[in-house]
Amino acid sequence: MSDPSGSSVRPRVLSGVQPTGALHLGNWLGAIRNWVALQDSHETFFCVVDLHAITVPHDPRRLAEDTLSTAALYLACGIDPQRATVFVQSHVSAHSELCWLLNCVTPLNWLERMIQFKEKALKQGDNVSAGLLDYPVLMAADILLYDADLVPVGEDQKQHLELARDIAQQRINARFAPDPEQPILKVPEPLILREGARVMSLTDGTSKMSKSDPNEGSRITLLDPPEVITRKIKRAKTDPVMGLEFSNPERPEADNLLGLYALMAGLSREQAATACASMGWGAFKPLLAEATVEALRPLQRRYAELRSDPGSLEAVLEEGRERAVTVAEATLQRVRSALGFLAAG
Ligand code: TYM
């Protein structure tokens, strides 16, 4: 990829979203919005993590479409394929291969204590796959393959990032690098911004907005039409108190919706708090609905354009795959060789 500075020393960024159904405001505000801001200062890699999407039961008739839709949403949110590498995880086989190598050095009990595994496993009952347990190792492979310096994610991914760091540092570099000054894998840092890092459900301000919540009214998806957005916000859970405020532990819904309003209307938290301090819910909700509809309008327009031209989107993903393979294969070779594998002839 061309680099205006003429050197290739820009720090690297990697992140991804699972193509499981429609992306929601949490995915945008907690992750993708922050990716957009990094494109000029960093060398960025954004993948659609379709291998992660099959760690829970999935519908094979939807996977390819959801993958394309997620990629189109990246671009519609402002990811620029001229500056960023956008690709599909399963198109780069190094992800699965590094995952296997890392599996063999990762202690099982590190995986068993992952909060997200425990939460998701509870929902799956008797049907928990080995892949669900292994999910964070695949995620570590995604990140480590690209020598990522920074990984912009929402708050819920913090523990997975720590695991990726521990695998790189303790299980690969400490054990297999002959010279500690020349580590095999780069140890990444998480980038979790305070605002938007934890967008909560519209129907329960104490649980996070999630694609897997069976109640669609709990989330606003990036492709919801204006009337659906307005209806969901109208029905969102409130409390009997007048006036919106942040950080009152008794009022999680007020904190969440006021935070959303600030982000949607492009206001600072202080500005939003002042504007809504004495506003009743009846006045606040239409304001939030309008700000959300307006914030999503340009994104939805761009998405429709991108989907009307499937050839261009596929070309972006093919070009992304080529760039990603080059970087990923080089890292994989380094790990294979450090682990002592016989080189192919
Ligand atoms: P996924 O698809 O569950 O979430 C994608 C991103 O959205 C963020 N997010 C949220 N942020 C704020 N509030 C919410 N309610 C909310 N819900 C989700 C997540 O933190 C995430 O940043 N395991 C990853 C996918 C992944 C990945 C990677 C990420 C696979 N490989 C490598 C970074 C680097 C995940 O949670 O996907």
Side-chain angles (χ1 to χ4, degrees):
M1 189 166 33
S2 70
D3 180 346
S5 73
S7 74
S8 59
V9 292
R10 279 185 303 166
R12 288 247 177 91
V13 163
L14 177 124
S15 200
V17 175
Q18 296 184 68
T20 28
L23 270 54
H24 54 66
L25 283 184
N27 300 131
W28 186 33
L29 301 174
I32 304 174
R33 189 179 56 115
N34 303 327
W35 305 356
V36 173
L38 292 164
Q39 293 179 104
D40 283 329
S41 49
H42 291 67
E43 191 182 352
T44 48
F45 293 82
F46 301 119
C47 57
V48 180
V49 291
D50 53 349
L51 295 169
H52 280 97
I54 66 163
T55 55
V56 292
H58 80 287
D59 182 350
R61 290 164 305 184
R62 290 217 49 91
L63 186 58
E65 161 57 25
D66 286 347
T67 301
L68 279 176
S69 159
T70 303
L73 277 171
Y74 288 3
L75 304 192
C77 289
I79 299 300
D80 171 8
Q82 299 296 321
R83 289 178 290 162
T85 299
V86 179
F87 66 103
V88 176
Q89 182 192 35
S90 69
H91 292 179
V92 182
S93 61
H95 290 247
S96 306
E97 194 172 342
L98 182 62
C99 177
W100 178 255
L101 302 181
L102 300 181
N103 275 337
C104 296
V105 296
T106 303
L108 186 55
N109 66 355
W110 286 12
L111 302 181
E112 284 166 340
R113 56 169 194 254
M114 292 290 115
I115 297 162
Q116 229 173 47
F117 169 70
K118 289 194 242 177
E119 284 172 0
K120 287 191 185 174
L122 219 59
K123 288 190 199 149
Q124 303 296 319
D126 284 343
N127 205 11
V128 178
S129 69
L132 188 65
L133 180 69
D134 204 31
Y135 177 114
V137 183
L138 178 60
M139 179 164 162
D142 299 339
I143 296 165
L144 301 174
L145 273 176
Y146 297 89
D147 289 327
D149 296 271
L150 266 191
V151 185
V153 283
E155 179 73 35
D156 60 343
Q157 295 304 306
K158 198 168 170 203
Q159 197 187 28
H160 290 162
L161 253 297
E162 277 158 14
L163 183 93
R165 288 170 55 84
D166 290 346
I167 293 175
Q169 208 156 25
Q170 298 174 29
R171 295 284 152 165
I172 297 288
N173 292 343
R175 287 185 172 187
F176 298 104
D179 175 0
E181 296 298 310
Q182 294 200 309
I184 299 155
L185 292 172
K186 167 82 96 354
V187 180
E189 296 287 338
L191 178 72
I192 301 171
L193 299 186
R194 176 175 167 226
E195 287 170 22
R198 204 167 156 75
V199 175
M200 309 308 275
S201 154
L202 296 184
T203 48
D204 173 6
T206 63
S207 65
K208 80 170 184 180
M209 186 177 284
S210 151
K211 293 186 205 119
S212 59
D213 190 325
N215 180 0
E216 294 208 359
S218 69
R219 61 185 164 268
I220 292 173
T221 80
L222 301 186
L223 298 175
D224 277 345
E227 60 281 9
V228 174
I229 295 174
T230 306
R231 191 177 66 234
K232 286 178 176 173
I233 291 178
K234 199 168 170 192
R235 292 185 184 160
K237 187 172 173 204
T238 58
D239 59 31
V241 183
M242 177 85 175
L244 277 291
E245 61 182 326
F246 282 120
S247 307
N248 180 342
E250 309 281 296
R251 305 189 64 203
E253 285 77 23
D255 182 88
N256 186 43
L257 295 186
L258 186 57
L260 271 185
Y261 176 61
L263 288 164
M264 294 294 101
L267 301 174
S268 70
R269 283 165 70 87
E270 292 69 29
Q271 286 169 327
T274 309
C276 307
S278 51
M279 203 179 272
W281 287 102
F284 172 72
K285 281 184 162 183
L287 211 61
L288 173 59
E290 195 189 318
T292 308
V293 167
E294 288 312 317
L296 291 179
R297 197 187 296 283
L299 189 159
Q300 295 185 349
R301 193 182 310 123
R302 177 97 185 97
Y303 175 84
E305 284 165 17
L306 287 156
R307 292 312 307 270
S308 69
D309 182 5
S312 298
L313 186 57
E314 278 160 24
V316 165
L317 294 176
E318 175 51 23
E319 202 182 310
R321 185 191 68 79
E322 285 170 19
R323 287 190 210 147
V325 162
T326 310
V327 178
E329 280 297 328
T331 311
L332 185 59
Q333 276 312 331
R334 235 163 48 222
V335 179
R336 274 199 203 120
S337 138
L339 264 52
F341 283 93
L342 176 68

